[in-house]
Every structure is written in structure tokens, then in C-alpha cells.
Amino acid sequence: MAGSGASPHSPDSPLARAEHFVWLTARVLEQRRFAYHFLGGDADAVEAALAAYQGDDGGYGHALEPDLRGPVSQPLHTAHALRVLDSVGRLGGQRVERMCRYLTEVSTRDGALPALHPSQRGYPAAPFVPVVDDPPSALLATGPVVGLLHRNRVWHAWLFRATDFCWAAVDALEGSHPYEVEAAVAFLDGAPDRSRAEAAADRLGRLVRGQGLAVLDPARIAEYPVAEGYAPGEHHFPHDYAREPRSLARRWFTDEEMGRSLDHLAAEQCADGGWPIRWRAWAPGTELECRPMVTIEALCTLRAHGRAIG
């Protein structure tokens, strides 16, 4: 595997600095994800590392999403696993069938997913993800899962009601917050009804701009509000919504606005080679585990938008 010897990249490049950070700090899964995306690594190695987080119920746990600790499967962990599999072209087969059975079992009465299943009770979790006995359906948890399954042409009975929930939730959005908007975009980018998705995305883009949910000029960041309940400085930028140029959210921003956003993202790389997290770090290990994930995401976003990283 690449990475066992000298880096093939310029030693001062963002990619080489990030590679050093990943080998120094990351979990095995993020090391293998980095190798796959940037060093010619194999998708089998990513799948093997991800398999360690899967439970007997077909869901994923064991702090795959670092803000939820403990062994129990959770929708947010399972959504993260789906994103990893999608990124290496392996979202299909019996593993995904098992995941869909798990999603069916933990769904709410209207067929969607809660942000946090009550089985988390008794294990540590971030204070901003409270455990409740009868959690409501959440677009935050359901949208990204449904969008990815549709985009990969995975068909399962669970998808029908979950898709209906997502459409209703997106259509009902009037006031929102950045993470919920990101979940809506993830759904719309994969939704089969493209004309309806485009119309919904246009309305959502007007909401984002009207409510100041994206920092359009990083030089004036102090003028933009932080959503209620977010950490100080937990702003969102155009690249957070449009991680790829093909995303419907890319239409919300001018070339100049997106360029400033990508400049800001590139400039966020820290002296140690990694990117910072912007949300609240509530336990010593969570920030250390999250930063390599954020670093890989930043590099993938920059590369997708044509920025040089190597």
C-alpha cells in the first residue's frame, strides 16, 4: 500500500502535510480511507476496517461517529457507514441489505429515522444529542441515508415511507439550521424525482441566503449569526452545502462566493497538517478522532472543486 515509504507528494503541499497528520493521529479506518482517496489504496481495505464497527443487528456502533460512544448501533453511525461505502463504490450487496433491515427495525412510527435511538441510554454521548424515550423522526438522520440509497439504486421496502417523510419534511422547512439543510441537500441530490428535487432545492437555497445560514464573505464572518445551540464560531460556508460541483446546492452561490469559500477552507489547514473541527469538543478523544475525518473531507471537497492539493 502507498504510504509505507516516502510521500509521492511535494513535502510542503497540503496533501503531504495532511498525510503526515493522518498517519500520526487517525484511526485505522481513516488511514485506509486516506490511502484509498489519495494514495492508490484498495477499497477492500476500507471495507475491512469498516466491518469492525458493524453489529449483529446490521447497524453500526462502537463510536464510528465519535460523538456517540459505546457498542450499540445507531442511525447516525449507520449513515456514516453508508457514506464511507458510497465513497469507495461499495454501497450494495448483502451488507446493505442487512443495514436496511436494521433501519427498518429502528424506524419511528412514520417510517423515518430518529437522530438517536433510545438504546444509547447508559453510554456516553455528546450533550447536544440528547437521549429521549420516544424520539421523533428527524430529517437530519433520514435525509442522507435515503439520498445515498437512491443514488446507488438500492431498493428496499423501507425506502418508500422514508422517502415520503423526507419530501414532506423538506417541503415544510421554513426556518432551519445548517445541519438540517445539509441533510436536505443530501436527500435532494439523490432523490429520483429530479424535477421536484430541483424545485425544492431552489426554494431551500433562497431560505439559506435569506436566513444567513451560509457565510458568503469570510472576511466579514462576524456579521453572520451562529445557529441557536451551536458552538461559538460554528459557521457554515458554501462548500459545506455543495461539497461537489454537481450538487444542487452549488446553484445557490456565485462563482465568486464559492471561490472565497474554498479559499477559506484551504486556509483552515492547521500547522500540524490537519483541519480543525468547528463544533463543540465535549470529550478529550472525540476531537482527536474527528479531525482526520474532517481533514479527508476537506481534501476531497477541494479536489472535487478543482483546487490543487498535491
Side-chain angles (χ1 to χ4, degrees), residues 25-259:
T25 67
R27 305 182 297 189
V28 172
L29 175 59
E30 280 70 50
Q31 290 178 10
R32 291 184 168 178
R33 288 179 61 204
F34 185 93
Y36 172 84
H37 287 295
F38 305 109
L39 303 174
D42 189 77
D44 289 342
V46 178
E47 282 199 279
L50 183 63
Y53 295 89
Q54 190 169 32
D56 293 337
D57 57 5
Y60 285 75
H62 296 282
L64 177 58
E65 188 68 43
D67 282 329
L68 302 178
R69 316 305 293 184
V72 294
S73 296
Q74 284 292 329
L76 291 179
H77 293 312
T78 305
H80 186 101
L82 286 167
R83 288 194 296 273
V84 172
L85 292 171
D86 175 66
S87 72
V88 298
R90 295 291 178 87
L91 209 165
Q94 292 185 347
R95 179 185 286 114
V96 176
E97 286 291 326
R98 291 183 63 206
M99 294 168 76
C100 287
R101 288 198 295 271
Y102 163 76
L103 297 173
T104 302
E105 291 170 0
V106 298
S107 291
T108 60
R109 286 185 291 274
D110 54 9
L113 296 173
L116 194 63
H117 190 268
S119 59
Q120 184 67 32
R121 192 179 302 280
Y123 297 102
F128 45 82
V129 192
V131 182
V132 297
D133 290 330
D134 188 20
S137 301
L139 179 61
L140 183 71
T142 313
V145 170
V146 173
L148 279 177
L149 293 177
H150 278 308
R151 195 169 77 182
N152 285 271
R153 299 184 179 181
V154 174
W155 296 105
H156 189 274
W158 175 78
L159 266 176
F160 291 98
R161 293 183 68 201
T163 300
D164 289 342
F165 166 81
C166 289
W167 279 125
V170 169
D171 289 344
L173 286 178
E174 293 182 0
S176 190
H177 59 92
Y179 291 121
E180 186 173 52
V181 172
E182 288 180 21
V185 170
F187 165 67
L188 295 173
D189 279 345
D193 189 339
R194 299 314 299 155
S195 59
R196 184 176 180 182
E198 290 179 6
D202 287 345
R203 187 182 72 83
L204 196 58
R206 292 192 294 272
L207 182 151
V208 166
R209 297 184 72 94
Q211 296 184 5
L213 300 183
V215 176
L216 302 179
D217 185 356
R220 301 168 61 189
I221 193 170
E223 300 176 16
Y224 291 87
V226 174
E228 183 178 356
Y230 284 29
E234 194 174 356
H235 291 95
H236 284 65
F237 301 82
H239 66 262
D240 291 312
Y241 300 105
R243 297 198 174 275
E244 300 177 333
R246 64 180 177 175
S247 172
L248 291 173
R250 176 62 183 87
R251 306 177 186 181
W252 302 349
F253 310 108
T254 67
D255 290 346
E256 183 180 4
E257 289 166 347
M258 184 58 70

